[in-house]
Amino acid sequence: MKELIGRPGSVSGLLLRIGQFSCASIAISVMVTTAGFATFTAFCYLIASMGLQLLWSLGLACLDIYALWKKRDLQNPILVSLFVVGDWVTATLSLAAASSCAGLTVLFSRDLHFCTGEYHLPCINYKFAVAFAFVTWGLTAISSHVMFWILLASV
Amino acid sequence: MKELIGRPGSVSGLLLRIGQFSCASIAISVMVTTAGFATFTAFCYLIASMGLQLLWSLGLACLDIYALWKKRDLQNPILVSLFVVGDWVTATLSLAAASSCAGLTVLFSRDLHFCTGEYHLPCINYKFAVAFAFVTWGLTAISSHVMFWILLASV
């Protein structure tokens, strides 16, 4: 259990956090640079949710770097409990944000045909941001499960 | 661990499954009886996702009734592994469906004002169905965590 891939304070854990941080950053950047995103509540929620994910992953990546540098063990039950709750909350919020934006993107492109014709919304940007939000959720779900496994093995 | 609330083959487990089944049924009924729901892909996906949830919860409720009636113990690792995977998949699909429909409902009611005026969409029905879909997800997330806990205690 001590050698589980993605555990806190390991190189694989750090890479997982960097992946979450990068994907969340790309999703935010793409959405923010898309004209008129602020008209839609779901797209603003995506930015808020990915922003929270970004801060959380950045914080844990810094903690992983510190643990690797000082050769500290981060696998104590109190810290891991905090990681489990944080990962579960951010994963749930990320999935909700990605899904609501995916719902809007499908509505614009397939149901209302707002991506072409009169409105000509930049749907390719929405799709790109949504795809990266889903990848962020996937990586956070992996972290969440690894942490839960470590917690239950330690109690 | 054997006395955990919501465990398979117990009265609390059966009540949890009946709750999931009832909420999913209400979400489907409200959406199906709303005129023009089939125009929107996300609302069709909600019906599909809640339909899957309904079948899953009904199946497990029948298994709970059988276990209570015959006084059988359902807590063997293979069965519980199946319940964990099934609950996790249905919970994820339910949250995705509820969130995408919530995104559309907010878009219609707040961003585009389609609930009043020319279009006059039945947004109160959409809100009702989305609320029950979120309750279904909540109850399934509880089941999923209880099952995961039982599985890890049994290995």
Side-chain angles (χ1 to χ4, degrees), chain A residues 89-116:
Chain A
V89 170
T90 52
T92 305
L93 293 176
S94 297
L95 177 61
S99 303
S100 58
C101 292
L104 255 69
T105 307
V106 171
L107 178 86
F108 293 150
S109 59
R110 283 195 50 187
D111 304 334
L112 302 179
H113 304 289
F114 276 6
C115 302
T116 50

Side-chain angles (χ1 to χ4, degrees), chain A residues 49-86:
Chain A
S49 169
M50 288 294 116
L52 178 70
Q53 180 68 62
L54 191 150
L55 290 174
W56 174 254
S57 299
L58 181 66
L60 292 203
C62 292
L63 206 61
D64 282 339
I65 291 168
Y66 171 80
L68 284 167
W69 183 38
K70 296 275 183 184
K71 299 195 191 308
R72 287 276 178 90
D73 182 17
L74 293 180
Q75 294 184 44
N76 80 66
I78 296 168
L79 259 186
V80 176
S81 308
L82 183 76
F83 298 159
V84 168
V85 175

Side-chain angles (χ1 to χ4, degrees), chain B residues 3 18 33 35 41 64 71 78 116 122-123 125 138 148 151:
Chain B
E3 298 308 313
I18 291 173
T33 54
T41 309
D64 282 339
K71 298 192 190 312
I78 296 168
T116 51
C123 292
N125 291 22
F148 199 40
L151 178 69

Side-chain angles (χ1 to χ4, degrees), chain A residues 41 88 99-100 111 145 148 152, chain B residues 41 99-100 111 145 148 152:
Chain A
T41 309
W88 196 80
S99 303
S100 58
D111 304 334
H145 278 84
F148 198 39
L152 285 173
Chain B
T41 309
S99 302
S100 58
D111 303 335
H145 279 84
F148 199 40
L152 286 172

